[in-house]
Amino acid sequence: MKNNCLVEQYIIKDQECGYLSKGGRFIRLLTAGKYTFLKMQGYQVDVVPMTGEVKTCGIPEEILMRDQEFASRVIKNVLPDECIAIRFVNKAYREVITRPEVLFWNVFEKNEFQAIDITKPWMEDSLPRHYMDLMPAKYYKKITIKDGETGLLYFDNRYEKRLDTGTYYFWNYGREVSCKIFNMKIQQLDISGQEILTADKVAVRLNVICNYRIVNPERLVQQVEGVASQLYTYAQLKLREYVGKYRLDELLAQKEEISSYVLEKLKERQEEYCVEMTGAGIKDIILPGEIREIMNTVLIAEKKAQANVIMRREEVASTRSLLNTARLMDENQTLFKLKEMEYLERICDKVGSISLNGGRGVLAQLAELAGINE
């Protein structure tokens, strides 16, 4: 726009248009070109681009639509309350429209709108999968079920169906969508630090491990609140019941039976808890400090006694072997000579040099050196 003291000039480019007004009233749409107006005539031109959403510059849309030049260049999308729309520009995705009414220029860009009904909860019923993540987050709910999990789907807190592993999209409009996800894998329940009195009033602490798997989540949500805590409490009670019947020595002697007893009792109630018990075991039995010292003393004494028995047994066996060897050599002179030569060989291995004199044999002189009488 160019101004001088008498006239105003406006240059409108090809991709633009102008709203010509006089005295606050819209006159007509101006297309590309050069326009000159006398200032005294009171004309005003608002130049806007003809791409994207229409800028009305404060002029009511109803008045603009009366102009045929304007109406032929725009497209209007009107959405019902239960719909949103996808806007395509030149057949390519551009944006999601959620406003009830919107006006776009349709000159240099070809606008198309695809209305989506969001009253049906399952998004797959009304929307291609590749557009789902493009939707505004407040309009939909994404539910992911991982491996080893299952989900219970609810519409307005009413159970709908079970969901297997996968990713699901639901419209969150008109109905509240929720999902309770359960781990269907084998889970571990640690029952730690349970201090229990035995029949002889010794306080022992047990660490027990139980394994279980949820088998009926639909019934579980209806009749069990906090299955892990309830299994924990029940196993704890059964441990106290079992341990309280035995003295400490008896308990330690049959510690492997504790886990079998707990597992058996848990299996009796597994249907009620909607689970399957797969195993149980004793991890630790922790005794009081003074009891541990006494038991260590007893253990050391037992081991020393066992060691003494073994030593005496080995001494007897060694003596018996020597006696048998002596008898054989006494009865067989050749064997005695061989044994004598064996010992002489051992002596020679330890001696640096040997001097022999006289005419006696080597064996006789070595035997004399070793103090062996023939």
Side-chain angles (χ1 to χ4, degrees):
M1 180 180 69
K2 297 181 180 179
N3 299 315
N4 56 39
C5 58
L6 298 177
V7 299
E8 289 182 329
Q9 290 185 348
Y10 296 89
I11 298 176
I12 300 176
K13 300 177 182 177
D14 287 338
Q15 70 274 22
E16 295 177 336
C17 67
Y19 301 140
L20 177 63
S21 302
K22 182 177 181 180
R25 295 181 60 189
F26 173 72
I27 307 269
R28 67 185 181 90
L29 183 75
L30 301 180
T31 56
K34 181 177 180 182
Y35 300 88
T36 302
F37 300 96
L38 294 174
K39 285 186 177 182
M40 66 181 64
Q41 292 176 324
Y43 287 104
Q44 178 184 346
V45 177
D46 295 310
V47 179
V48 296
M50 284 196 297
T51 56
E53 189 173 354
V54 174
K55 297 178 181 179
T56 61
C57 297
I59 304 171
E61 181 183 315
E62 293 78 6
I63 294 176
L64 289 173
M65 292 296 288
R66 295 173 188 168
D67 187 282
Q68 292 299 319
E69 291 291 331
F70 177 85
S72 64
R73 287 171 168 79
V74 298
I75 184 171
K76 184 175 183 179
N77 185 68
V78 179
L79 282 176
D81 290 340
E82 67 275 9
C83 292
I84 61 176
I86 302 176
R87 177 186 168 218
F88 297 90
V89 176
N90 299 328
K91 298 188 180 298
Y93 168 83
R94 179 61 59 89
E95 63 178 326
V96 175
I97 304 297
T98 59
R99 287 177 290 168
E101 296 183 5
V102 64
L103 198 63
F104 288 93
W105 292 106
N106 206 34
V107 180
F108 300 101
E109 297 176 339
K110 183 180 180 182
N111 290 276
E112 296 176 314
F113 302 92
Q114 179 182 342
I116 307 296
D117 184 358
I118 59 176
T119 58
K120 298 178 181 178
W122 295 86
M123 289 180 71
E124 290 89 344
D125 294 343
S126 56
L127 184 69
R129 185 62 179 265
H130 55 280
Y131 291 127
M132 291 181 181
D133 285 325
L134 303 175
M135 297 295 106
K138 66 179 181 179
Y139 286 100
Y140 76 96
K141 186 179 187 69
K142 180 180 179 180
I143 297 175
T144 301
I145 310 297
K146 300 178 181 177
D147 289 335
E149 295 181 341
T150 191
L152 302 185
L153 178 66
Y154 292 83
F155 293 157
D156 294 332
N157 292 321
R158 298 181 64 180
Y159 175 69
E160 183 69 17
K161 65 174 296 185
R162 182 189 286 205
L163 299 180
D164 296 324
T165 302
T167 301
Y168 303 87
Y169 295 82
F170 300 91
W171 293 116
N172 209 17
Y173 179 87
R175 289 189 183 182
E176 180 185 357
V177 179
S178 58
C179 184
K180 297 178 181 178
I181 298 176
F182 293 89
N183 185 354
M184 304 299 287
K185 300 176 183 177
I186 295 177
Q187 302 179 60
Q188 180 171 298
L189 180 64
D190 292 323
I191 306 172
S192 304
Q194 298 301 308
E195 189 166 302
I196 306 172
L197 287 177
T198 62
D200 51 356
K201 307 306 179 186
V202 177
V204 297
R205 284 194 297 155
L206 300 178
N207 293 328
V208 181
I209 297 176
C210 299
N211 296 320
Y212 70 96
R213 175 173 51 218
I214 296 174
V215 295
N216 194 339
E218 289 88 352
R219 195 159 63 91
L220 177 66
V221 297
Q222 294 178 357
Q223 64 184 42
V224 181
E225 180 68 29
V227 63
S229 62
Q230 294 208 31
L231 287 173
Y232 182 98
T233 303
Y234 184 72
Q236 184 184 46
L237 293 174
K238 291 305 171 183
L239 278 172
R240 293 185 182 278
E241 177 184 306
Y242 185 87
V243 173
K245 295 187 298 184
Y246 297 97
R247 299 172 60 85
L248 178 61
D249 292 342
E250 296 171 337
L251 186 67
L252 294 178
Q254 57 186 12
K255 58 185 178 181
E256 298 299 330
E257 298 178 10
I258 301 177
S259 55
S260 300
Y261 176 81
V262 173
L263 180 60
E264 179 184 351
K265 292 300 180 182
L266 286 172
K267 283 189 173 183
E268 292 176 0
R269 301 287 295 275
Q270 65 182 4
E271 185 175 352
E272 177 183 341
Y273 291 125
C274 307
V275 300
E276 176 191 358
M277 302 304 304
T278 60
I282 298 294
K283 186 176 180 182
D284 297 303
I285 298 179
I286 303 174
L287 304 177
E290 60 273 14
I291 299 297
R292 287 201 304 271
E293 292 178 2
I294 293 172
M295 294 193 69
N296 287 337
T297 302
V298 173
L299 180 62
I300 291 172
E302 289 178 351
K303 294 302 179 184
K304 284 183 176 179
Q306 291 176 5
N308 288 332
V309 170
I310 293 172
M311 289 176 61
R312 298 296 179 269
R313 187 184 301 122
E314 293 299 322
E315 288 177 358
V316 170
S318 177
T319 303
R320 184 179 294 111
S321 177
L322 289 174
L323 178 61
N324 292 334
T325 302
R327 287 175 178 172
L328 288 172
M329 287 191 296
D330 187 51
E331 296 172 357
N332 192 326
Q333 288 299 313
T334 303
L335 179 61
F336 179 80
K337 290 293 183 179
L338 288 173
K339 199 68 175 177
E340 181 179 299
M341 293 179 66
E342 179 182 337
Y343 280 104
L344 287 175
E345 181 181 2
R346 293 181 183 177
I347 294 172
C348 293
D349 286 340
K350 305 296 182 181
V351 176
S353 61
I354 300 175
S355 298
L356 300 175
N357 298 310
R360 289 181 298 168
V362 174
L363 289 178
Q365 295 188 48
L366 287 176
E368 185 180 349
L369 288 174
I372 301 174
N373 294 323
E374 295 187 16

